[in-house]
Amino acid sequence: MSNLVDCPYCEYENDVSDSHQDPSNNKFDFECGSCEKEFEVEVEYNPNYSASEIVWVKCQSCGTETREPYSKGRIHPFPKFIVHDCICEKCWKEAYVKELELKRVVQDES
Ligand SMILES: [Zn+2]
Ligand SMILES: [Zn+2]
């Protein structure tokens, strides 16, 4: 969010971020840092909401329904030996731990 406001008199860019201290009031007076005239600043709030459907996905490994599936291509690292594309968090964690163990074994052998 930009806190720079152009002075309406001389077009000097004023940083007003420290001047707005009363959240219940979205207007305040500000003195231009260049020409020293006062002008009124109105704060515009643009809240951003985004909505998305709740999608329940079935874990391909254990069958648990999850709202936050761990899917191949989206989650890194995705353990290589997982044959499924979409699993729940629990399965992913288990697989991840398992992969780390496998790597350790390989390193120990070499
Ligand atoms: Zn000015
Ligand atoms: Zn699962």
Side-chain angles (χ1 to χ4, degrees):
M1 199 175 113
S2 170
N3 296 311
L4 295 175
V5 174
D6 286 349
C7 170
Y9 310 107
C10 70
E11 294 182 339
Y12 173 79
E13 265 194 349
N14 290 277
D15 182 358
V16 298
S17 50
D18 295 333
S19 304
H20 187 240
Q21 273 144 6
D22 182 3
S24 62
N25 188 358
N26 65 340
K27 279 185 185 176
F28 59 94
D29 291 341
F30 190 87
E31 192 185 285
C32 174
S34 176
C35 69
E36 295 182 5
K37 283 182 188 163
E38 284 217 328
F39 57 87
E40 187 182 80
V41 179
E42 187 168 348
V43 184
E44 282 175 41
Y45 294 106
N46 298 309
N48 272 317
Y49 295 99
S50 66
S52 55
E53 285 177 41
I54 294 177
V55 183
W56 289 90
V57 181
K58 210 172 212 170
C59 169
Q60 292 175 346
S61 176
C62 71
T64 307
E65 304 246 303
T66 176
R67 277 172 72 166
E68 287 176 53
Y70 282 61
S71 49
K72 211 176 212 166
R74 209 167 67 88
I75 298 294
H76 295 280
F78 197 85
K80 286 184 201 70
F81 63 88
I82 294 183
V83 291
H84 311 288
D85 294 329
C86 194
I87 56 172
C88 69
E89 187 185 358
K90 190 173 120 299
C91 288
W92 178 84
K93 275 186 183 153
E94 282 173 10
Y96 182 61
V97 169
K98 211 163 158 188
E99 187 173 74
L100 289 182
E101 277 170 8
L102 287 175
K103 268 187 195 155
R104 203 177 306 141
V105 170
V106 172
Q107 277 167 7
D108 286 350
E109 282 170 355
S110 60

